[in-house]
């Protein structure tokens, strides 16, 4: 499922993609898929307690669009490892949920280029489809 999700995000114009899965207690985020990033992304493990942005996104589904206008405000709230992987002023971060519980955080960009409205809409629709797939997958396991 996550492999298809990362490919779908790439197909909607995102050049760099990182899918982080949350553990059951939301105490750790672990890389599950990545595209276009340094190989070090494979072993990335983050403690969300050290990032106000990640804690917020794990508490409820949401999206943060970083741009030159707000990068100064949010950059200090992101883990250094994420800033190193995405050295950009244009970044989308979204938490995806299944049945109201956040399961995954997605980070995407277009290799530092501004994200236009069409790409933003494509990302939003793709994220909704991934959420529906997560919910379907969760039901199947029960």
């Amino acid at each position: 499922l996550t492999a298809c999700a990362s490919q779908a995000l790439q197909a909607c114009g995102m050049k760099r993609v990182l899918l982080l899965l949350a553990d059951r207690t939301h105490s750790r985020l672990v890389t599950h898929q990545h595209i276009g990033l340094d190989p070090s992304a494979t072993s990335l493990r983050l403690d969300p307690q050290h990032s106000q942005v990640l804690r917020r996104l794990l508490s409820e589904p949401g999206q943060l669009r970083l741009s030159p206008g707000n990068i100064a405000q949010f950059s200090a709230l992101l883990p250094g490892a994420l800033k190193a992987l995405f050295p950009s002023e244009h970044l989308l971060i979204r938490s995806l949920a299944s049945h109201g519980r956040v399961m995954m955080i997605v980070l995407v960009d277009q290799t530092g280029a501004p994200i236009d409205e069409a790409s933003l809409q494509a990302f939003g629709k793709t994220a909704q489809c991934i959420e529906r797939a997560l919910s379907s997958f969760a039901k199947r396991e029960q």
Side-chain angles (χ1 to χ4, degrees):
L1 177 63
T2 57
C4 289
S6 60
Q7 291 170 356
L9 291 165
Q10 187 180 33
C12 74
M14 301 303 157
K15 305 290 186 215
R16 294 187 287 208
V17 175
L18 178 63
L19 299 180
L20 297 168
L21 291 185
D23 66 4
R24 291 198 186 279
T25 61
H26 285 171
S27 62
R28 184 166 306 242
L29 289 166
V30 179
T31 296
H32 208 267
Q33 294 287 327
H34 66 88
I35 294 174
L37 296 170
D38 187 88
S40 66
T42 302
S43 60
L44 184 65
R45 287 167 181 25
L46 299 172
D47 180 352
Q49 295 309 312
H50 299 298
S51 169
Q52 186 177 349
V53 169
L54 294 179
R55 282 195 317 268
R56 172 80 174 159
L57 288 169
L58 281 172
S59 68
E60 61 185 349
Q63 180 171 303
L64 176 61
R65 181 181 184 183
L66 296 180
S67 65
N70 68 3
I71 191 76
Q73 176 186 357
F74 290 106
S75 181
L77 305 175
L78 289 173
L82 291 180
K83 291 188 280 190
L85 288 172
F86 291 92
S88 170
E89 291 185 327
H90 301 279
L91 178 64
L92 291 171
I93 309 171
R94 183 166 176 154
S95 53
L96 303 178
S98 172
H99 305 293
R101 179 171 167 72
V102 173
M103 308 293 287
M104 173 186 312
I105 293 183
V106 176
L107 294 93
V108 298
D109 79 349
Q110 294 181 323
T111 328
I115 299 170
D116 61 36
E117 284 305 311
S119 296
L120 184 62
Q121 287 180 9
F123 172 76
K125 291 292 185 188
T126 302
Q128 288 174 351
C129 290
I130 295 168
E131 281 187 320
R132 283 196 298 274
L134 284 171
S135 293
S136 294
F137 188 77
K139 285 179 189 175
R140 192 180 70 171
E141 288 182 359
Q142 295 174 350

